[in-house]
Each structure stands twice: as structure tokens, then as C-alpha cells.
Amino acid sequence: MYLLVIFLPLLSAIICCFFSRWIGFLRAWQMSTTLLGITFFICVVIFYEIGLSSTICTIEIGNWFNVGFFQSPWAFLFDSLTASMLIVVTSVSFLVHMYSGSYMEFDPHLGRFMGYLSLFTFFMLILVTGDNFMQLFLGWEGVGLSSYLLINFWFTRIQANKAAIKAMMVNRLGDISLTLGIALIYIYFKSVRYAVVFASVKQHENLYFYLFGYDILVLDLICIFLLIAAVGKSAQLGLHTWLPDAMEGPTPVSALIHAATMVTAGVFLLVRCSPIYEHASNEIRLLVVIVGALTAFFAATTGLMQHDLKKVIAYSTCSQLGYMVFACGLSFYPVGMFHLINHAFFKALLFLSAGSVIHSLSDEQDIRYMGGLSRLIPFTYVFIMIGSLSLMGFPFFNRILLKRFDIRIVFQYF
């Protein structure tokens, strides 16, 4: 049952990309939405069995790389962190698939669009369920490819071409850094499996790496490489420029990829590698705090000056991701995950509501030409109000999830 979570989105992508022309776009949309709905239901069962019951499940299919002493199996890890991410990815993806059928109703390439969405979901699930760094890297590169395809979906638009190329090139820096980090992990730990690496971190605390005439702690260097990778994927300050431009893609893409799932991959990487960061020097965690705090402040103030509706929400996403990174730098990883889950739902709600506004105004995105819409689209107004109150941290809007995390550590810290 657990493996169906991985392969049902892949089946949906294959059907939509290769057979939608014969079965019809409407049938392809119905089939992909149904498969994602089944995937979400299975993830709810997994969350009950793994997350709420505090158990761990590992499934190994076979060998992927087996070259000399380098071994990397096809294995899937289901723990509380994975179960939480599965709920976020599949629920938002399922809702975006439903929404896309109406939003892209008159687009002649609806089948291809649904296939790209399902392909992205498949790679994101590979990323969060991987048992080792090689599978994480496969999902990492896969979501980058899917992001490029979806941003450039309307490939006849020059701005969409430029935005897709910019997103790919900026993320290359983070991908190279992740590659170097994984290489260092294998050189010193002789394995890329999470269980082996995290269990032997303490034995590598005093190892040094000679770089440019300086002796640097190995764990510090690995953490720096992983941080740069997270900065690129989660659009932190310095490598954040691709996210606002990525709004050239269709609005469902912005809701799924650039608000709820792909941009949280960097935060997921920091949380997953928390044992390494906890055994690194304090200066590394201070660097994470500084990056997150500067991003939160810079992106929020920049968003105040924007006129494009989707770019306002995009800069808000950068700012909220900064809060998550900030929490991880303070070693409050449950708080970072708590905000990641909250943010995924209300930011996806804001993006999908923004798509409703844009369609209602004949594709107008400049907020200076908007006003008095509450009477025309009252339901969209209510949903944007709910999302905005959640974004502001209004009391009782996240009380249910609050019970599942020990939030008291934040108040103890301050």
C-alpha cells in the first residue's frame, strides 16, 4: 500500500502526457484527479499508522547504485517527518488538480498540463520518502525539471521562457552545492543512507577539511553546502530572484509548486539533516538564523512595493520561508515544520483565490485597478480573508495543528 503513494502519481503523469489525446482532455483530468485523490487517502492512512502511532517503516526494493564500495539502494523511509510532508504534498496537489480542470478548461494543452502536475507530485514524493541522499537528490532535480516545464507551459510567451530559464539557472547553484555536500558525506561517512550518516555524526565532530589554506570542520563544511542548497530551492536572500519571476506560469502552478511544496524542499532538507546541524559548531546555526531573518525582513518589505497580485503573494512566500529557516537555525525544528504545514495550506488558498480574481477581471493582475470586488465575487472574498487572517497569525486559525506540536519551547526560549 505504501508504494502506491509513489507510483499512482507516476501513472497519472504517463496517462496524461502520452494518452490524453486519445482518451480526451476531460477524461484525462478526471483520471488524474481520481488517482491523486486515492493517493491522498492512502497518505491519511499512513499518517495515522506512522505519524500518530510514532512508528517507522522502511521499504527496500533493490539496488540502484552498486559500484565498488558505493551502494545506494532503492529504499523508502516513512517516519513522522515523511508522513507530515505526505499529507501536505498530496492534499494540496489533489486540490490543485481539481482546480486546474476549471481554470485551464479552454486551454488546448490541458492534458499536458495535468501530466506535468502529476510528474511534479511524483518527484516531490520521491524527495520526501527517500531513504538516502541519492534518492533525495533525484527528487530534488526532478522537481526542478517539473518547475521549469510548468513555468514555461505557455512557451510562446517570451517572459515565460525567460522566467523558466532564470529559475533553472539560479537553482543550479543550489544543486551544485547539494552535490558537493553529498560527496563530502560519502567521503567521510562511507554511506549515503540517513540511518548510517545520522548514527555516526558524533564520531566526526573533530574531523577537519583543508580548504584554501584553512582547516574547516567537516560537519561545518557539509552544513554550509546543504544550507546553500536550501537557500536556492527555498528562495532565500541571495538566490531568491527566481521565485517572483516564476509567477509567469499558470496560477495553479504557483499554488502547488511556488507556495506549498517545492519551495519547502529546502526547509525539509534542513529538518531532515538536523542531526548534522546539531553536531556542527554554533556559528553554522547562527548563519542559518541570519539568512532566515534577513530573508523574512527583506521579502516582506519588498512585497509592500509590488503591484502585481501574484508577486505580492510570492514575496510573502519568501518571507514566510525565512521564518521557517529562522526557526531551524534556533534548533526549533518542530516549530519550523509546524509553520511549513500551516503555510502550505493558507498560501495555496491565497494563490488559488488570486486565480479566481484574475479570471474574473479578464486576466488583470495589477492591484491598482482592483476594488469593490466583494460584491461581485463574495466567495473569493471570504476565502482571501481566511487566508489573510491565517497569514497574519490570527488566533484560533491553527489551533488544531497546534496540539500536535510542542510549541511551548518557543515561549521558553523568549
Side-chain angles (χ1 to χ4, degrees):
M1 181 185 71
Y2 284 24
L3 293 181
L4 286 177
V5 171
I6 311 297
F7 295 110
L8 284 181
L10 178 62
L11 177 63
S12 172
I14 293 173
I15 292 174
C16 292
C17 288
F18 296 105
F19 301 104
S20 60
R21 182 173 297 182
W22 287 273
I23 65 176
F25 296 148
L26 179 61
R27 190 69 59 81
W29 168 70
Q30 293 173 342
M31 192 170 297
S32 63
T33 305
T34 302
L35 290 175
L36 264 297
I38 297 172
T39 305
F40 171 60
F41 176 77
I42 297 174
C43 288
V44 172
V45 177
I46 292 175
F47 183 78
Y48 173 76
E49 293 181 353
I50 301 296
L52 300 183
S53 302
S54 301
T55 59
I56 297 177
C57 175
T58 302
I59 301 174
E60 185 169 336
I61 299 178
N63 287 327
W64 183 16
F65 286 102
N66 192 357
V67 182
F69 292 103
F70 180 69
Q71 295 182 353
S72 178
W74 275 111
F76 300 95
L77 172 65
F78 295 90
D79 57 4
S80 57
L81 176 59
T82 301
S84 302
M85 288 296 296
L86 287 178
I87 290 292
V88 172
V89 173
T90 56
S91 61
V92 175
S93 179
F94 170 59
L95 295 174
V96 169
H97 274 71
M98 289 183 61
Y99 179 90
S100 301
S102 176
Y103 189 88
M104 307 288 289
E105 181 179 3
F106 301 106
D107 194 290
H109 303 287
L110 175 61
R112 179 165 60 90
F113 182 76
M114 302 305 297
Y116 288 167
L117 287 180
S118 299
L119 183 66
F120 166 80
T121 306
F122 165 73
F123 280 121
M124 192 66 197
L125 293 174
I126 288 288
L127 190 154
V128 300
T129 59
D131 179 64
N132 53 76
F133 284 98
M134 292 303 296
Q135 274 182 247
L136 181 141
F137 185 73
L138 173 65
W140 193 276
E141 292 297 308
V143 295
L145 169 65
S146 303
S147 175
Y148 172 83
L149 294 174
L150 286 166
I151 295 172
N152 199 30
F153 177 74
W154 289 320
F155 52 83
T156 56
R157 298 172 56 181
I158 299 298
Q159 291 302 318
N161 301 156
K162 293 181 179 179
I165 293 173
K166 184 177 183 179
M168 180 64 75
M169 296 306 296
V170 171
N171 274 281
R172 285 295 92 192
L173 299 175
D175 298 344
I176 292 172
S177 180
L178 180 60
T179 305
L180 295 174
I182 295 174
L184 275 178
I185 288 173
Y186 176 72
I187 290 172
Y188 285 94
F189 291 88
K190 307 304 179 185
S191 177
V192 292
R193 301 196 70 165
Y194 296 146
V196 176
V197 173
F198 298 155
S200 57
V201 166
K202 191 171 180 60
Q203 284 71 39
H204 296 77
E205 283 184 329
N206 299 319
L207 289 181
Y208 286 87
F209 185 87
Y210 188 76
L211 181 66
F212 300 130
Y214 296 94
D215 287 328
I216 303 176
L217 286 170
V218 170
L219 294 184
D220 289 359
L221 191 58
I222 291 174
C223 288
I224 289 173
F225 283 137
L226 295 180
L227 176 61
I228 296 173
V231 166
K233 192 66 75 176
S234 292
Q236 297 298 287
L237 188 62
L239 298 178
H240 68 283
T241 55
W242 67 270
L243 185 57
D245 291 342
M247 298 300 109
E248 292 295 331
T251 302
V253 174
S254 304
L256 177 62
I257 294 183
H258 307 125
T261 52
M262 190 191 84
V263 290
T264 61
V267 180
F268 171 80
L269 177 65
L270 295 179
V271 176
R272 176 62 80 188
C273 297
S274 57
I276 302 178
Y277 278 90
E278 289 304 303
H279 286 86
S281 59
N282 294 331
E283 289 76 10
I284 297 299
R285 292 193 295 276
L286 178 61
L287 178 61
V288 177
V289 169
I290 292 173
V291 169
L294 290 178
T295 303
F297 177 77
F298 167 80
T301 52
T302 304
L304 292 173
M305 301 294 107
Q306 300 299 312
H307 303 299
D308 189 300
L309 177 60
K310 290 174 67 176
K311 285 190 176 182
V312 171
I313 306 177
Y315 277 107
S316 171
T317 301
C318 289
S319 178
Q320 297 299 310
L321 290 166
Y323 286 119
M324 301 174 204
V325 174
F326 178 81
C328 293
L330 293 176
S331 299
F332 294 156
Y333 302 102
V335 177
M337 277 302 300
F338 166 72
H339 188 49
L340 185 154
I341 296 171
N342 269 337
H343 173 266
F345 292 111
F346 67 70
K347 191 54 66 69
L349 172 64
L350 286 173
F351 265 115
L352 297 179
S353 300
S356 175
V357 173
I358 293 169
H359 261 208
S360 301
L361 298 178
S362 302
D363 296 332
E364 178 61 61
Q365 296 185 203
D366 195 325
I367 59 176
R368 293 173 294 183
Y369 297 101
M370 300 178 187
L373 297 177
S374 60
R375 296 180 180 178
L376 300 176
I377 42 177
F379 289 106
T380 303
Y381 172 78
V382 171
F383 292 142
I384 289 181
M385 181 62 69
I386 293 172
S388 300
L389 291 174
S390 301
L391 177 61
M392 290 186 288
F394 197 78
F396 307 112
F397 272 76
N398 49 19
R399 189 174 179 180
I400 296 176
L401 285 176
L402 193 62
K403 296 178 182 178
R404 296 303 309 166
F405 294 91
D406 190 4
I407 201 73
R408 292 172 296 175
I409 56 176
V410 178
F411 301 109
Q412 292 174 0
Y413 180 81
F414 288 106

